[in-house]
Amino acid sequence: MSEAAIIAQAETLLAQGQSADAVELTQRLVSGVEPTHTALAAHSAALKLDRRIEDALAFDLQATRRFASSPIAWHNYAATLDDLGRGTEAVEACEQAFRLGLDAAQTFAVYARALRAVGNHERADYAYRQSLMRDGSVVAVAVEFANYLWMRQGDVAAADGVLDLAFQAGAPPAPLLVAKATLYDAAGETQRAAQLLEAATTRMPGDVLVLMAAIDLALRSERLEAAERYVRLAETAAPKARAVVQYSAIVDLAQARPEIALAKLRGALKTHPDDQSLWGWAATAARSVGDRLYGQLCDYDQMVAAYDIVTPEGWSSLDAFLADLGKVLKDIHLYQQHPTNQSLRHGSQTMHLLTGSDAPEVRAFFKAVDAPIRAHMEKLGQGDDPLRRRNTFDYRLQGAWSVRLRPGGFHRDHYHPEGWLSSAFYVETPDAALETPDKQGWIRFGQPPFITDPPLPPAHLIKPKPGRLVLFPSYMWHGTVPFTTDEARMTIAFDAVPKSASNQPKDRFDRGAARKDPVIQGGAV
C-alpha cells in the first residue's frame, strides 16, 4: 500500500474515532530510516488524537531536524508545544516558521495562544487579529479571541464585535450565535442571551446546536416551559443524537419524570458507555427514583477522598512551599474576568496547560500529587462500574489549570467530560468563610446544575485546606458553595485518565487546512 493510501486510511479511522488503529497504521510510515515529511506529520497527528501528545512531539521535532527549511515542520512543532503548555518554545517555533516564509492564519492562531501563555498579551492580541485577517471565517479562532478579550478587559462590546466580523467573513451563524449568548450570560446579561437564542430558534428551528444552547440556558434560568418547547424541536430535528437524548432526559428530571429520564439515559449509555456526562445524569436520575445505580456511581466514601500532600523536597515546610507556589500562580492570573465557557464565576482561570510550566514550584507540585493519585487508584481497585472498570493503576495528566476566586466567587456545579479522575488542590483558602454555618467556600458533590423535581441538594461536602488534594470521579457533579467574605480562594485542578487504556473518548482536534503535502496541523483550541 502506498504512503498516500495509508494516510487516507488513517484519516478514515480517525474520523471514526479509532485513533489507536490510526497510530498503529501510520507507525509503518515512520519506522524506516528516513520517513518522509508527510509521514512524520501524519503519525504525529494520529498520536495527538490518541492523546499521546508527548509522543507526537518527538516526531514533530524529528521533522524540524530533518526538514529544517520547512516552515510547515516548524508550525507543526509549535502547535504541539502549545498543546503541551510549553509557551516559550512554541513562540520561538512560530517565529522560525515566519522567518522561513509561512504566512498562514493557523500559524498566527498558534502564535497567539503561545504568546497568551507567556503573558505577552499585547502581542497575542496582534497575533489573533493577524490570524483573522487571513481567514476571518474560522469560528474556533474568533470565539477564542472574543473570550480572550472578555477575560482581559471585561468588554462585552469588543468581544461581540469579533464575532460579528467572523460572521461577515463567512463563518457559519449557529456557533457564533451560541458564542454570543454564552458571552452575554457570562457578563450577567442573561435576559439578552435568552432573547438572542429565542430569536435564533425561530429563524433556525432545526439547528440542534442552537437548540441545545437554548435548552441549557432555559434550564439554568428555570424557564421550564421554554426548555420543554426547545427540546421537542430538537427531538424532531435529531431524535437519536446523544446530546438531544441527554437534554430530553434533563428536562424530564426538571418536570418530575425521573423514571422516563433514567430509561433514556440507560439507552444512550449502551451506545456511549464512557460518556462522563451521561453517567453524571444517570446518577442524578437514579438518585431521584431510588435506583441502586446511584450508590454504584456515587459511593462518596470510597470514590471521593482528601489527601494532604507532603512537603516537596527543597522547601523547609509545606507553608513555605504553598507561599512560593501561590506567588508563581498569581503571576499568571492576569485576567480580569472569568472565561465565558467555564464553570467559575467572579474569578480568573489560567488558559494554558500547567504541566508545561518550567517553574520549579509547579513541577514540584505535580511530583507531590503523584503519590496521592496512585494511592487513590489502589483504594478504588477494579470493578464493573464505569469508574473502576477503567482503572489500570497508572495514569497520565490530560489537563491542568489554576483558578482564583474573588469574594462572591464560586464554581457552578459541573463535571469534567474529558477526564476519568478529577481534582481540586487548595493553594489558598478563604479561612473565615470556611467556618460559616453554611460552609461557604467548601467543595460540594451531588447537586446537579439544573433544577430537578424532586430537588436534589448536595450529598457530600469537603472542607478545603491549604495543601489538600481532593480526588473524585470526573462524572460526579461538583461545585463551590459561594463565599461572601473579603478573601480569595486559589486552586490547581487537573484531570487524569488511565494511561494504558484503549477505550478513552477522543479529543476533538482541529487539524487545520485541507490535506497538503506535508500537512499543517492545527493547535488545540
Side-chain angles (χ1 to χ4, degrees):
M1 188 183 298
S2 69
E3 178 177 290
I6 290 174
I7 291 175
Q9 186 177 343
E11 289 183 331
T12 300
L13 291 169
L14 292 173
Q16 296 170 348
Q18 301 178 52
S19 59
D21 293 335
V23 169
E24 183 178 356
L25 186 62
T26 55
Q27 180 67 46
R28 302 182 202 170
L29 302 177
V30 297
S31 58
V33 177
E34 294 184 346
T36 67
H37 195 338
T38 306
L40 292 168
H43 189 55
S44 170
L47 286 166
K48 284 186 176 186
L49 281 165
D50 203 44
R51 293 181 170 175
R52 294 168 55 185
I53 302 177
E54 287 280 2
D55 293 337
L57 184 66
F59 292 93
D60 289 328
L61 178 59
Q62 184 180 348
T64 64
R65 290 172 174 170
R66 293 193 57 237
F67 306 99
S69 62
S70 167
I72 294 176
W74 287 99
H75 167 96
N76 289 347
Y77 184 48
T80 306
L81 287 166
D82 179 61
D83 290 342
L84 291 168
R86 293 164 60 172
T88 300
E89 295 166 90
V91 167
E92 294 170 354
C94 282
E95 291 175 348
Q96 178 64 8
F98 293 141
R99 283 192 290 270
L100 291 169
L102 193 59
D103 188 36
Q106 293 164 276
T107 310
F108 275 104
V110 173
Y111 191 43
R113 295 176 199 123
L115 289 163
R116 185 182 67 181
V118 300
N120 190 341
H121 291 297
E122 289 74 17
R123 188 70 175 169
D125 185 290
Y126 159 82
Y128 273 123
R129 295 183 189 279
Q130 291 297 312
S131 178
L132 291 170
M133 281 175 59
R134 285 156 178 78
D135 188 352
S137 66
V138 181
V139 172
V141 176
V143 171
E144 186 181 281
F145 185 36
N147 186 38
Y148 179 61
L149 288 174
W150 156 253
M151 289 190 299
R152 281 192 64 205
Q153 306 168 2
D155 190 335
V156 175
D160 206 13
V162 170
L163 300 175
D164 287 338
L165 288 174
F167 175 72
Q168 294 168 16
L176 295 176
L177 287 167
V178 171
K180 279 176 170 281
T182 304
L183 168 67
Y184 300 158
D185 183 45
E189 300 179 23
T190 302
Q191 183 61 33
R192 183 182 181 189
Q195 291 171 348
L196 175 64
L197 290 174
E198 172 65 22
T201 59
T202 300
R203 295 187 180 186
M204 308 163 66
D207 193 292
V208 174
L209 180 65
V210 170
L211 287 167
M212 294 299 98
I215 297 166
D216 189 277
L217 186 61
L219 287 166
R220 203 175 298 284
S221 307
E222 299 186 11
R223 295 179 292 113
L224 300 187
E225 289 185 7
E228 186 95 52
R229 176 165 49 86
Y230 294 142
V231 86
R232 300 302 163 234
L233 290 171
E235 288 174 331
T236 299
K240 296 183 179 180
R242 186 210 60 80
V244 172
V245 174
Q246 176 174 298
Y247 270 106
S248 177
I250 297 170
V251 171
D252 287 331
L253 287 169
Q255 299 281 39
R257 302 188 294 262
E259 294 87 355
I260 297 174
L262 183 57
K264 291 177 180 178
L265 293 163
R266 286 186 188 275
L269 281 164
K270 291 179 181 178
T271 309
H272 307 279
D274 291 324
D275 190 291
Q276 301 295 287
S277 182
L278 289 173
W279 282 118
W281 283 110
T284 302
R287 180 182 177 187
S288 295
V289 301
D291 191 285
R292 65 187 183 91
L293 177 64
Y294 175 62
Q296 296 171 351
L297 295 173
C298 297
D299 183 347
Y300 297 107
D301 291 338
Q302 289 297 314
M303 294 178 172
V304 181
Y307 300 87
D308 296 335
I309 68 165
V310 299
T311 302
E313 184 178 350
W315 280 269
S316 60
S317 68
L318 184 58
D319 286 344
F321 168 68
L322 293 173
D324 288 348
L325 178 62
K327 183 178 184 303
V328 169
L329 294 176
K330 287 174 185 174
D331 286 343
I332 60 176
H333 274 284
L334 302 174
Y335 300 107
Q336 297 181 19
Q337 297 292 343
H338 49 258
T340 62
N341 57 352
Q342 299 295 329
S343 64
L344 74 140
R345 288 295 181 263
H346 309 301
S348 64
Q349 178 170 319
T350 59
M351 300 304 291
H352 62 283
L353 195 65
L354 289 184
T355 48
S357 173
D358 290 327
E361 296 83 356
V362 177
R363 291 188 175 276
F365 162 76
F366 287 113
K367 186 176 180 180
V369 299
D370 177 71
I373 295 170
R374 296 188 182 279
H376 195 62
M377 291 189 295
E378 290 292 335
K379 177 184 177 182
L380 289 173
Q382 292 182 317
D384 295 331
D385 61 84
L387 178 68
R388 293 183 176 93
R389 67 177 167 79
R390 296 172 64 188
N391 190 2
T392 63
F393 301 101
D394 201 0
Y395 73 96
R396 65 176 182 268
L397 296 183
Q398 167 162 294
W401 59 96
S402 176
V403 169
R404 192 173 190 220
L405 295 178
R406 298 189 293 270
F410 63 97
H411 279 276
R412 298 189 303 199
D413 297 284
H414 63 290
Y415 72 101
H416 292 193
E418 303 295 337
W420 172 63
L421 284 179
S422 294
S423 65
F425 176 79
Y426 299 94
V427 182
E428 294 181 359
T429 56
D431 295 334
L434 298 178
E435 302 302 326
T436 56
D438 51 348
K439 299 183 177 180
Q440 294 182 19
W442 287 41
I443 185 171
R444 67 188 181 199
F445 296 92
Q447 179 171 303
F450 304 130
I451 186 173
T452 59
D453 187 358
L456 298 174
H460 189 71
L461 291 99
I462 292 180
K463 182 179 181 181
K465 172 186 174 184
R468 175 163 290 172
L469 174 70
V470 180
L471 295 171
F472 50 91
S474 296
Y475 59 71
M476 196 173 278
W477 299 122
H478 59 285
T480 308
V481 180
F483 64 94
T484 58
T485 56
D486 189 17
E487 302 174 281
R489 179 182 186 270
M490 187 158 61
T491 58
I492 293 176
F494 56 81
D495 287 331
V497 296
K499 189 171 185 179
S500 58
S502 61
N503 60 345
Q504 303 304 315
K506 303 302 186 291
D507 276 331
R508 293 183 297 269
F509 190 82
D510 178 10
R511 300 180 64 208
R515 168 65 64 192
K516 294 182 179 179
D517 185 5
V519 66
I520 294 181
Q521 300 167 11
V525 176

